[in-house]
Amino acid sequence: MTVSDPSDLPSEAEILRRFIEFRLADLHTATPGRVVAFDAAANTATVQPLLQRVYVDASGTETVSSAPLLKAVPVWFPRGGGFRMTWDLAEGDVVLLLFCERSIDTWATSGGEVDPKPRRKHDWSDAVAVPGLAPTEAAIAGIQPRQLLIGAEDESVEVRLDRETGTVTVKGAAVRLAGAAGQPVGRVGDAVTIDDPAFLAWLSALSPLTVAPYTAPISGKIAVGSPKVSAE
């Protein structure tokens, strides 16, 4: 019978350290991920975590491997107070994966306060995806102080709110108001023609007696800084 030299055995502190490292390897908190597919109807995504897993054996040798593909991950969109903000996620979009401390299976189907079952903790199965995270090389350019911007990455369509000036700037090929307010929107410089007889009669009644009544259509362009139409 061969007895190992006690000096070759790890100390209690080293055994405890290795045990903690082993347990921490399967305790997940947050990591960037890449969207593989997005289910708009279910508000869920299939996501590939982007930080690979690293295991260290007793000899200190490291093994690196890809994390598992996560399916049916709930996607977090800003929502509350009766309001919401949504958009379609594209394949390749980067998200931040947050791992809940307990199982969200029951909560995801029923909501409210629940008894979390099964009893897993910080598991791959309990991820939530938060869109918007990006590496430094893909940082958003053009962020302005005291302004809120909602728009496309290519700047083709955007809405900019300037708190300093109180200005709302809308950029796009067309602006459409829906519902009961479904009327066209005029832009600065757009040509307009007013030919409604009732409006022309009302305008004539407001005009000085030295001004001839408006009987013909009024044509002009929308002017800057005024709710009026500047007649040409």
Side-chain angles (χ1 to χ4, degrees):
M1 177 178 180
T2 303
V3 179
S4 300
D5 186 343
S7 62
D8 294 335
L9 299 177
S11 64
E12 291 183 1
E14 177 62 17
I15 293 174
L16 180 60
R17 187 193 68 80
R18 292 181 184 180
F19 174 76
I20 293 175
E21 288 291 333
F22 175 77
R23 293 295 296 161
L24 287 177
D26 285 317
L27 188 151
H28 310 294
T29 54
T31 187
R34 182 181 65 250
V35 174
V36 176
F38 175 60
D39 186 336
N43 294 180
T44 61
T46 299
V47 184
Q48 175 62 56
L50 294 178
L51 299 186
Q52 294 180 315
R53 309 185 71 183
V54 180
Y55 287 102
V56 182
D57 62 22
S59 66
T61 303
E62 291 186 350
T63 301
V64 180
S65 60
S66 296
L69 188 68
L70 308 181
K71 298 181 179 181
V73 178
V75 177
W76 177 87
F77 288 109
R79 185 179 190 179
F83 295 92
R84 65 184 179 182
M85 183 183 299
T86 63
W87 57 91
D88 184 35
L89 293 182
E91 181 181 355
D93 281 353
V94 177
V95 298
L96 175 63
L97 290 170
L98 302 178
F99 299 92
C100 299
E101 64 177 55
R102 288 283 191 173
S103 169
I104 60 173
D105 288 358
T106 303
W107 176 86
T109 56
S110 63
E113 185 177 7
V114 300
D115 176 8
K117 292 181 179 179
R119 300 302 192 198
R120 59 181 181 254
K121 299 177 181 179
H122 298 279
D123 194 80
W124 291 116
S125 303
D126 303 306
V128 175
V130 181
L133 185 66
T136 304
E137 63 182 16
I140 298 174
I143 295 179
Q144 301 296 323
R146 303 176 68 83
Q147 291 189 7
L148 170 66
L149 175 65
I150 302 174
E153 291 273 11
D154 62 4
E155 301 181 357
S156 59
V157 180
E158 64 182 30
V159 177
R160 186 182 298 271
L161 284 68
D162 191 319
R163 189 171 61 177
E164 187 72 31
T165 63
T167 302
V168 178
T169 304
V170 180
K171 178 182 178 182
V175 179
R176 179 177 301 169
L177 297 181
Q183 300 296 323
V185 175
R187 299 175 296 181
V188 172
D190 280 356
V192 295
T193 299
I194 300 175
D195 57 4
D196 181 70
F199 178 81
L200 294 176
W202 173 79
L203 188 61
S204 297
L206 295 179
S207 302
L209 296 177
T210 55
V211 178
Y214 292 98
T215 57
I218 302 173
S219 297
K221 292 184 178 180
I222 299 175
V224 177
S226 172
K228 300 183 296 182
V229 175
S230 299
E232 294 182 329

